[in-house]
């Protein structure tokens, strides 16, 4: 499922990143990689605040839709 549809405060596993290589490398430098854990802590109209590797990150709705989790 796309990340904006994920429940809040539940650990999820990133299954796929549907982005270009340059953006994928940037996300990986932030800790957003396939098979890593991610937790949504706030969802404001699709814009998300997430926790990845004990760091809080803000993701806009367009980017969040390209991150698939399970």
């Amino acid at each position: 499922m796309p990340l904006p549809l994920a429940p809040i405060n539940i650990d999820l596993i990133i299954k796929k990143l549907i982005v270009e290589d340059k953006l994928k490398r940037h996300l990986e430098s932030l800790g957003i990689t396939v098979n890593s854990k991610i937790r949504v802590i706030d969802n404001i109209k699709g814009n998300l605040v997430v926790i990845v590797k004990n760091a809080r990150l803000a993701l806009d709705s367009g980017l969040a839709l390209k991150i698939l989790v399970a």
Side-chain angles (χ1 to χ4, degrees), residues 36-51:
S36 65
K37 289 184 184 178
I38 191 167
R39 177 185 292 195
V40 177
I41 58 172
D42 201 3
N43 185 340
I44 304 166
K45 297 181 183 177
N47 299 314
L48 305 179
V49 178
V50 298
I51 294 179

Side-chain angles (χ1 to χ4, degrees), residues 12-51:
L12 301 162
I13 302 295
I14 298 172
K15 293 297 180 182
K16 190 171 186 180
L17 301 172
I18 307 170
V19 295
E20 301 167 359
D21 286 337
K22 184 177 179 181
L23 182 54
K24 188 173 186 177
R25 285 192 303 272
H26 177 67
L27 292 174
E28 288 172 348
S29 73
L30 295 173
I32 300 174
T33 61
V34 173
N35 294 323
S36 65
K37 289 184 184 178
I38 191 167
R39 177 185 292 195
V40 177
I41 58 172
D42 201 3
N43 185 340
I44 304 166
K45 297 181 183 177
N47 299 314
L48 305 179
V49 178
V50 298
I51 294 179

